[in-house]
Amino acid sequence: MGGMSGKRGNGEGSIYPYRNGFAAYVWVTTPEGNRKRKYVYGPTRTVVHEKWIKLHAEAAKGAVATAVPTVGNYLAYWLREVVEPNLRPLTAATYETNVRLYILPFLGSKRLDRLSVRDLRTWMNKLAETCQCCAQGKDAARPEKKRRCCARGQCCGRTLSKRSVNDARTVLRSALGNAVVEELIAKNVAQMIKVPRARRKKPEPWSVEEACGFLERAEAERDYLYAAYVLVLVLGLRKGEVLGLTWSDVALDAAELRVRHQLQRVRRQLIHSDVAKTEASEAVLPLPDICVTALRARQKDQAAAKEAAGEMWHGSDLVFTTRYGTPIDPRNFNREFVRRCERADVRVIRVHDTRHTCGSLLAAMDVHPRIAMQILRHSEIAVTMEVYTHIPSKETRRALRKLGKALGRKPKEGKGRRGP
């Protein structure tokens, strides 16, 4: 029988029959500095010999790990040594959440090099049908009197969306890709699975009329976040960019604003950090009149709040703060936005979706297309001009012009805009 003659070729002294094939070992130095045997296996002597030669070459170059980690151990290393130092805090936190909640419970104990395409398909199917309220003990964590579903044996079936399942697979694919680079495994099995793309729900942004009504009501009621709503709607800034805005980023006399910072909640902490250079490249945005007017009013109101707070004021350069000068939590901003929508009697949408109204608002305020092009960050004027086709009613245009002029009335003595 071929390969079973008993004769060994040169350098095959360490190869021997093992189970249904062959095995071999090489003495290597581990990363910890110990001398250990590292084994390779295969169905034929020839296959094992090739692996044995390759292992010898690796051992000659330097340290070689003798034990392949479990998926759980490897992901812990990957999060600590690869993700945390190189990715932004919010991204790193998202990766950690996916690993802890959706990957480890199903695959954590598997050996990294034995992970198969079948394992991953089974995992994704199980993940899609697992009630996360049960798995994470959400209902069980409530006080006994407030438990209403899973802890009482009435599963609420809160399963993940297709997109969330795909996101978990993307995180695992990234981790396995790094394991391939580090030569712990030969192939990335997560890359071999074809998954249907989850359909994104298209947002239904406000019309110019709805946005105008929202701003009019916020301004009339002296809402302390009025200027923030203006920047989100007119400049299309993200929530984190608005809440992280500092006065050093704003030049009111030059009517310019620089997008350099963002405020985000990461792992129960508020983090004020620089924006990614690739995202905004510290973009300088021209400020239409409505933005300048709103920011000047915000400046006066903040000065009044500082004077009222006295020693309780927490000094910072942030444009948007609470009545004591502390940063505004993004979650509180969301709550205030929903309340404001209800008070203005407009559809409640996500803060992020308001950005889609930006171009139409600029056109309605008669902002020059070249300035709008800078604000919308378009590379071609033709793209901007497409937005300028919608012409709102005269009443709406008049209302927006009014908001863009200097505020006619002053706040009552001793009071600024309504604070949190």
Side-chain angles (χ1 to χ4, degrees):
M1 288 170 66
M4 294 292 288
S5 65
K7 289 186 178 181
R8 294 175 176 173
N10 289 338
E12 286 191 340
S14 302
I15 300 176
Y16 55 90
Y18 179 78
R19 292 188 179 173
N20 296 324
F22 291 84
Y25 66 84
V26 173
W27 283 96
V28 301
T29 302
T30 68
E32 295 77 34
N34 303 319
R35 290 285 289 168
K36 282 190 176 181
R37 288 177 179 180
K38 167 93 174 181
Y39 291 84
V40 288
Y41 305 92
T44 65
R45 189 185 290 278
T46 305
V47 169
V48 172
H49 183 245
E50 286 173 3
K51 289 183 178 180
W52 185 82
I53 293 288
K54 189 178 177 183
L55 186 54
H56 253 299
E58 283 179 35
K61 285 181 191 173
V64 177
T66 55
V68 177
T70 61
V71 171
N73 288 342
Y74 180 71
L75 289 177
Y77 152 79
W78 177 69
L79 288 171
R80 184 180 66 251
E81 303 295 338
V82 181
V83 173
E84 291 282 353
N86 298 306
L87 297 181
R88 301 184 70 76
L90 190 59
T91 308
T94 304
Y95 277 28
E96 187 275 332
T97 301
N98 272 280
V99 167
R100 176 169 42 84
L101 297 181
Y102 310 136
I103 301 175
L104 292 186
F106 300 91
L107 301 171
S109 60
K110 283 253 178 208
R111 229 177 77 166
L112 190 66
D113 60 338
R114 290 183 182 165
L115 206 55
S116 67
V117 171
R118 182 178 289 181
D119 289 332
L120 262 62
R121 280 213 181 94
T122 304
W123 162 61
M124 289 181 72
N125 290 337
K126 274 188 182 176
L127 190 58
E129 62 193 29
T130 299
C131 170
Q132 291 303 312
C133 182
C134 292
Q136 297 176 40
K138 291 180 179 180
D139 193 44
R142 296 184 181 117
E144 201 165 338
K145 289 182 180 178
K146 292 189 177 180
R147 291 175 187 171
R148 56 176 182 263
C149 50
C150 300
R152 297 173 63 183
Q154 300 165 356
C155 181
C156 61
R158 290 186 66 180
T159 54
L160 293 179
S161 65
K162 278 186 181 178
R163 187 174 173 191
S164 293
V165 173
N166 286 354
D167 286 346
R169 175 232 176 203
T170 301
V171 171
L172 183 58
R173 185 180 65 190
S174 179
L176 295 181
N178 191 71
V180 171
V181 171
E182 294 183 359
E183 297 184 347
L184 286 171
I185 52 177
K187 58 190 176 184
N188 186 341
V189 289
Q191 226 166 6
M192 299 175 181
I193 295 181
K194 299 269 182 176
V195 291
R197 290 189 70 178
R199 283 188 180 182
R200 289 197 175 195
K201 195 176 178 182
K202 281 192 176 181
E204 291 184 27
W206 283 335
S207 65
V208 170
E209 286 74 19
E210 285 175 302
C212 180
F214 174 87
L215 290 176
E216 272 192 301
R217 188 67 182 264
E219 197 280 325
E221 295 186 3
R222 314 297 282 159
D223 193 313
Y224 79 109
L225 287 172
Y226 168 68
Y229 300 144
V230 168
L231 297 181
V232 167
L233 277 160
V234 177
L235 297 186
L237 296 191
R238 296 176 177 87
K239 175 176 56 185
E241 292 170 344
V242 169
L243 298 180
L245 188 70
T246 61
W247 287 112
S248 57
D249 298 333
V250 181
L252 290 177
D253 291 337
E256 285 181 349
L257 175 149
R258 195 178 287 270
V259 182
R260 287 195 294 199
H261 303 102
Q262 60 186 346
L263 184 76
Q264 294 175 315
R265 174 167 280 282
V266 181
R267 295 185 181 125
R268 300 181 183 179
Q269 283 188 319
L270 287 179
I271 295 180
H272 189 231
S273 59
D274 295 340
V275 296
K277 285 187 179 178
T278 50
E279 273 185 26
S281 302
E282 293 194 0
V284 177
L285 303 180
L287 292 175
D289 291 344
I290 188 173
C291 298
V292 175
T293 301
L295 284 168
R296 287 199 191 281
R298 173 63 199 153
Q299 213 169 30
K300 288 177 186 175
D301 292 343
Q302 194 178 56
K306 184 177 179 180
E307 192 177 336
E311 291 182 3
M312 295 176 72
W313 183 261
H314 294 260
S316 76
D317 193 34
L318 289 171
V319 173
F320 300 102
T321 56
T322 66
R323 67 177 71 179
Y324 298 114
T326 54
I328 293 170
D329 191 304
R331 294 180 304 184
N332 289 340
F333 185 85
N334 284 339
R335 293 186 190 108
E336 291 287 333
F337 179 77
V338 170
R339 283 195 205 105
R340 177 52 54 198
C341 289
E342 290 166 351
R343 289 172 76 94
D345 200 24
V346 295
R347 283 181 300 124
V348 176
I349 62 174
R350 296 186 312 162
V351 175
H352 192 76
D353 293 340
T354 60
R355 301 173 76 230
H356 298 279
T357 310
C358 172
S360 306
L361 266 176
L362 292 170
M365 290 186 293
D366 298 322
V367 172
H368 193 280
R370 284 286 170 192
I371 294 173
M373 182 181 168
Q374 275 182 272
I375 292 170
L376 297 169
R377 304 177 205 184
H378 290 161
S379 55
E380 294 178 17
I381 191 71
V383 178
T384 311
M385 293 310 296
E386 282 181 25
V387 182
Y388 270 55
T389 54
H390 174 71
I391 306 295
S393 66
K394 284 183 181 178
E395 289 77 15
T396 302
R397 293 164 79 92
R398 197 179 299 123
L400 287 168
R401 274 198 295 274
K402 190 179 173 186
L403 287 173
K405 290 175 183 173
L407 297 175
R409 62 186 184 283
K410 295 177 183 177
K412 290 179 183 177
E413 196 65 37
K415 292 184 180 179
R417 291 175 178 247
R418 186 181 65 78

